[in-house]
């Protein structure tokens, strides 16, 4: 249990939840002490609702952390002939089930992987996406409630009624540090509402379309491949879009868990279980064909501090598109993705290392290699 929590993401989330909860509890208690009729009738409701939010947030937070949905070790399809439509993972020693992807941080192939979330130190996928979405929703609701309580309290600080009861009541414990903490917690809560709210919208959009963030990128490449191909290719049909309501019920339903086993999926008419995986294989072929072999001329540690490679490399870094890798002079990298100041590629290893699952890939500064204009 401890290793999952011993990470900056969950620790930061717990600190924020604790700080915002304490500030809201303090504000609710101070408002409770006021003999105002309006506050009197709603103060109990505020307390009960606030702690309901906390219970729901903490419950779904730990479910999102500890519920894992990995492809079973050494998994293979029931029919061996179907293996030609799937990718093999040398690290997990198993075939990748449809919609699954290998996470370099978790070290396993994840069923219907959406993304690796640092705040829960876990991959969001088939098994824990319902809990993750509920966590985001309750965080937005709880933080909104906390902002309302804190704002109400700060507003009443400047009323005559509050000043009068502050002088005659021992229950009202107010000082400058407490007010500063409340204002700080309110600012953090507003930031959480905006940030988590945007993530919630992205998740709900993906659920309604039945499309993960990784699959969104694959579909984009599928359409681009057909557009740029000299020979006409049939338009790509995304097989998992069953209609908005059916898509929604696959993740958000009364059972509280995603429908299905995460391996076999309902698909549209005219598609089959391997329509999407076949497109992935075609993209892999094109990727290998277009890859450029480069020799590292300047080392990179793999850390975020990239000032030595220029300010533009610092500000234009890829944030949500993969990991960073350390590279050393004379190492060979197969570059498959290009940005203005960053490159993405695989370090080349021997065939024996590949069989053992040794693989390192990620982003590194473009300045670390020399690419000819013809290749570029």
């Amino acid at each position: 249990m401890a290793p999952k929590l011993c990470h900056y993401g969950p620790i930061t989330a717990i600190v924020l939840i604790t700080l915002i909860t304490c500030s809201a509890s303090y504000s609710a208690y101070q408002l409770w002490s006021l003999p105002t009729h309006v506050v009197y009738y709603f103060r109990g409701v505020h307390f009960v609702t606030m702690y309901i939010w906390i219970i729901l947030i903490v419950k779904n937070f730990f479910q999102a952390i500890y519920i894992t949905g990995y492809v079973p070790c050494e998994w293979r399809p029931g029919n061996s002939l179907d293996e030609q439509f799937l990718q093999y993972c040398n690290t997990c020693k198993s075939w990748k089930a449809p919609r699954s992807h290998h996470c370099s941080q978790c070290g396993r192939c994840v069923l219907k992987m959406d993304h690796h979330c640092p705040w829960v130190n876990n991959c969001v996928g088939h098994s824990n996406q319902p809990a993750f979405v509920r966590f985001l929703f309750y965080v937005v609701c709880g933080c909104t409630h906390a902002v309302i309580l804190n704002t109400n309290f700060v507003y009443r600080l400047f009323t005559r009624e509050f000043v009068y009861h502050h002088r005659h009541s021992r229950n009202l414990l107010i000082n400058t540090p407490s007010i500063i903490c409340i204002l700080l917690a309110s600012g953090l809560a507003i930031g959480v509402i905006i940030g988590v709210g945007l993530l919630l919208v992205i998740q709900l959009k993906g659920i309604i379309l039945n499309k993960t963030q990784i699959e969104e990128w694959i579909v984009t490449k599928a359409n681009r491949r057909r557009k740029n191909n000299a020979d006409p290719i049939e338009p790509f049909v995304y097989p998992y879009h069953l209609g908005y309501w059916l898509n929604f019920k696959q993740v958000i339903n009364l059972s509280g868990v995603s429908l299905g086993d995460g391996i076999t999926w309902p698909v549209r008419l005219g598609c089959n279980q391997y329509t999407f995986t076949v497109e992935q294989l075609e993209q892999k072929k094109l990727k290998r064909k277009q890859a450029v072999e480069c020799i590292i001329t300047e080392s990179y540690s793999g850390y975020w501090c990239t000032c030595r490679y220029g300010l533009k490399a610092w500000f234009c870094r890829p944030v949500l598109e993969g990991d960073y890798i350390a590279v050393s002079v004379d190492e060979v990298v197969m570059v498959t993705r290009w940005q203005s100041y960053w490159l993405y590629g695989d370090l080349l290893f021997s065939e024996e290392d590949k069989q053992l699952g040794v693989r390192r890939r990620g982003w590194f500064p473009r300045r670390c290699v020399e690419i000819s204009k013809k290749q570029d």
Side-chain angles (χ1 to χ4, degrees):
M1 181 174 179
K4 278 282 188 179
L5 287 176
C6 295
H7 184 267
Y8 76 87
I11 291 174
T12 303
I14 291 171
V15 170
L16 286 174
I17 291 171
T18 303
L19 180 59
I20 295 171
T21 299
C22 290
S23 71
S25 300
Y26 179 85
S27 297
Y29 174 76
Q30 300 295 357
L31 291 172
W32 184 296
S33 302
L34 283 176
T36 307
H37 294 294
V38 176
V39 177
Y40 180 82
Y41 289 114
F42 290 97
R43 61 190 184 182
V45 176
H46 277 303
F47 260 106
V48 173
T49 306
M50 181 177 62
Y51 286 104
I52 287 176
W53 293 134
I54 295 169
I55 292 171
L56 293 173
I57 289 171
V58 172
K59 174 188 174 184
N60 287 282
F61 176 64
F62 281 98
Q63 286 181 341
I65 292 176
Y66 289 106
I67 294 178
T68 56
Y70 299 138
V71 176
C73 293
E74 300 183 359
W75 178 85
R76 60 193 322 123
N79 186 349
S80 60
L81 295 177
D82 293 338
E83 293 177 0
Q84 62 182 311
F85 306 123
L86 299 171
Q87 299 179 68
Y88 186 78
C89 180
N90 289 315
T91 304
C92 297
K93 306 298 181 185
S94 67
W95 294 91
K96 292 183 180 180
R99 308 190 78 177
S100 68
H101 301 275
H102 185 83
C103 175
S104 58
Q105 297 186 50
C106 292
R108 292 289 300 276
C109 288
V110 181
L111 296 170
K112 192 192 171 187
M113 178 178 171
D114 184 81
H115 70 287
H116 184 90
C117 179
W119 307 116
V120 297
N121 194 22
N122 195 11
C123 276
V124 178
H126 171 73
S127 298
N128 67 345
Q129 190 176 26
F132 182 72
V133 172
R134 290 194 301 268
F135 166 67
L136 299 180
F137 175 75
Y138 293 136
V139 164
V140 172
C141 293
C143 286
T144 302
H145 191 196
V147 170
I148 292 172
L149 285 172
N150 290 344
T151 304
N152 191 5
F153 169 63
V154 173
Y155 165 75
R156 291 181 181 277
L157 282 175
F158 301 97
T159 62
R160 292 183 178 179
E161 175 191 26
F162 197 93
V163 173
Y164 173 80
H165 288 289
H166 177 47
R167 292 176 179 175
H168 298 83
S169 174
R170 295 181 179 179
N171 294 327
L172 295 174
L173 306 174
I174 303 170
N175 50 50
T176 302
S178 63
I179 297 174
I180 293 175
C181 289
I182 287 175
L183 294 175
L184 174 63
S186 299
L188 291 173
I190 292 172
V192 169
I193 292 170
I194 296 172
V196 175
L198 289 174
L199 182 56
L200 177 60
V201 170
I202 293 172
Q203 286 292 304
L204 291 176
K205 177 187 174 184
I207 290 171
I208 292 172
L209 297 177
N210 200 3
K211 191 182 297 182
T212 66
Q213 295 182 41
I214 296 175
E215 289 167 348
E216 181 75 39
W217 172 238
I218 294 172
V219 171
T220 300
K221 291 192 291 184
N223 295 330
R224 185 189 303 162
R225 187 171 72 88
R226 283 155 176 76
K227 181 180 179 180
N228 298 334
N229 199 297
D231 299 323
I233 308 177
E234 292 185 2
F236 179 69
V237 177
Y238 183 67
Y240 305 119
H241 185 28
L242 309 175
Y244 299 135
W245 180 238
L246 290 178
N247 293 342
F248 186 79
K249 289 197 298 183
Q250 280 196 6
V251 179
I252 308 298
N253 52 68
L254 295 177
S255 67
V257 297
S258 297
L259 301 181
D261 59 2
I263 295 178
T264 305
W265 299 94
V267 295
R268 301 172 63 170
L269 291 175
C271 301
N272 58 57
Q273 289 295 312
Y274 304 110
T275 298
F276 199 78
T277 59
V278 169
E279 172 60 29
Q280 288 179 270
L281 290 173
E282 291 298 322
Q283 292 183 15
K284 290 289 184 181
K285 291 180 183 177
L286 182 62
K287 181 179 177 181
R288 286 192 291 268
K289 182 180 178 181
Q290 295 178 341
V292 176
E293 185 174 303
C294 301
I295 299 176
I296 301 297
T297 58
E298 185 177 350
S299 62
Y300 168 58
S301 64
Y303 294 114
W304 271 54
C305 185
T306 54
C307 298
R308 59 178 290 195
Y309 304 101
L311 291 177
K312 290 183 177 179
W314 171 267
F315 288 108
C316 299
R317 68 176 65 248
V319 179
L320 301 175
E321 302 177 43
D323 301 325
Y324 301 93
I325 59 167
V327 292
S328 302
V329 176
D330 294 333
E331 285 185 326
V332 181
V333 182
M334 290 297 293
V335 176
T336 55
R337 292 164 65 182
W338 290 263
Q339 287 190 4
S340 298
Y341 303 99
W342 292 83
L343 300 176
Y344 185 93
D346 286 75
L347 279 171
L348 294 185
F349 293 97
S350 65
E351 289 299 325
E352 294 181 0
D353 289 335
K354 291 180 181 179
Q355 292 297 325
L356 294 173
V358 178
R359 185 181 186 185
R360 279 201 296 145
R361 59 177 176 174
W363 293 96
F364 58 92
R366 190 186 183 104
R367 216 180 78 175
C368 293
V369 300
E370 290 184 1
I371 303 176
S372 67
K373 293 183 178 179
K374 182 178 179 181
Q375 291 175 324
D376 202 4

